[in-house]
Amino acid sequence: QSIVYKLFSKKKTKRMTTLSASWLSRSLSAIALTLPVAVWASDSLYSVYTVKGKSMEPSLMDGDVVLVRRVDFLPIILPYIHTQQELTTRARLLRAEGNGEQALLLSRPPLVLPGDVVVFANPSRAFPNEPNIKRVVAVAGQVMRPQNRFRSLETIPRFNIWVEGDNMEKSEDSNTFGPVSKKLLMGQAERVVWPPSRWQRIKRVPPSEGRAWWM
């Protein structure tokens, strides 16, 4: 009986080892297949950004983690999800930039409108490539009044945006470094995802009347 028990134990141990190796092999294969997709999605579709500083208070707080959309999905369905005023603004912006129509499936970077919150590479700091988060005040084809010099006007050139922090006293923004090229645009911040107590959609807040208008 002792010999039979030992043989049975050895077979059981060998079978468990084989099963474990098989499970590990399948798991590694699944990771190898899904990791490139996850990396591509993070780089091309969505990413996350941690808010640093107080420049966007009270809308966004220091330490908030936000979900950033890096592309426009299916621009052909926009008429069904946007208001008429938003569609008119988008059409004016596309004409100002000479784009005509957006791509049918994916368009990168997303077409942001006045009032949207965006993440972009800081144009005043070439290295390191430090991202910032601010709100869009004006877009290409618009004339606007900078916050720190109301007697002068600024014309926003093609493929540029003017950004400012909600908390002007704590913000380094376009009033310091001027319009931001859309080549530096990483995406549009859509939602606070962390901490759970702060879970919320990030609302579009258009600039106050008289700050920006179309030429």
Side-chain angles (χ1 to χ4, degrees):
Q1 290 181 350
S2 178
I3 295 174
V4 172
Y5 177 76
K6 288 181 179 179
L7 290 173
F8 176 77
S9 297
K10 287 182 179 180
K11 289 182 179 180
K12 185 177 180 180
T13 301
K14 184 177 181 180
R15 186 165 61 250
M16 291 180 65
T17 302
T18 302
L19 289 174
S20 298
S22 177
W23 176 85
L24 181 59
S25 177
R26 288 197 300 270
S27 298
L28 291 175
S29 298
I31 292 173
L33 289 173
T34 58
L35 186 59
V37 177
V39 171
W40 174 81
S42 175
D43 183 62
S44 303
L45 303 180
Y46 278 94
S47 60
V48 294
Y49 169 77
T50 302
V51 177
K52 298 177 182 178
K54 301 180 178 181
S55 68
M56 285 300 294
E57 291 182 352
S59 302
L60 299 173
M61 310 300 289
D62 184 32
D64 282 352
V65 178
V66 300
L67 184 67
V68 180
R69 178 169 55 83
R70 303 175 72 93
V71 299
D72 274 339
F73 295 101
L74 297 174
I76 58 175
I77 69 171
L78 292 176
Y80 305 99
I81 60 176
H82 283 283
T83 66
Q84 187 58 47
Q85 183 178 0
E86 290 171 340
L87 291 174
T88 300
T89 302
R90 294 179 71 93
R92 284 182 170 178
L93 176 55
L94 285 171
R95 285 198 299 270
E97 294 188 340
N99 286 343
E101 297 291 335
Q102 283 187 285
L104 294 179
L105 297 178
L106 298 177
S107 178
R108 181 177 182 179
L111 193 71
V112 295
L113 304 181
D116 287 336
V117 175
V118 295
V119 176
F120 58 96
N122 191 325
S124 65
R125 302 177 186 177
F127 185 85
N129 193 11
E130 180 183 344
N132 272 8
I133 185 166
K134 297 289 184 287
R135 193 178 299 277
V136 179
V137 174
V139 295
Q142 288 189 315
V143 179
M144 55 88 58
R145 298 183 187 275
Q147 189 74 25
N148 59 355
R149 49 184 196 277
F150 279 103
R151 295 184 180 180
S152 64
L153 300 178
E154 185 87 28
T155 300
I156 310 304
R158 293 177 63 191
F159 308 114
N160 278 254
I161 53 178
W162 185 278
V163 296
E164 293 179 354
D166 288 359
N167 182 5
M168 292 299 301
E169 294 182 357
K170 300 290 186 179
S171 180
E172 179 188 5
D173 49 37
S174 288
N175 289 292
T176 302
F177 44 68
V180 176
S181 170
K182 291 178 72 173
K183 292 181 179 180
L184 301 177
L185 183 61
M186 298 178 179
Q188 178 182 344
E190 287 196 327
R191 183 174 293 275
V192 179
V193 296
W194 191 265
S197 60
R198 294 274 302 153
W199 175 272
Q200 60 183 301
R201 183 173 66 86
I202 300 174
K203 297 179 180 179
R204 175 182 293 141
V205 181
S208 58
E209 188 175 354
R211 285 296 314 279
W213 59 92
W214 294 99
M215 291 189 291

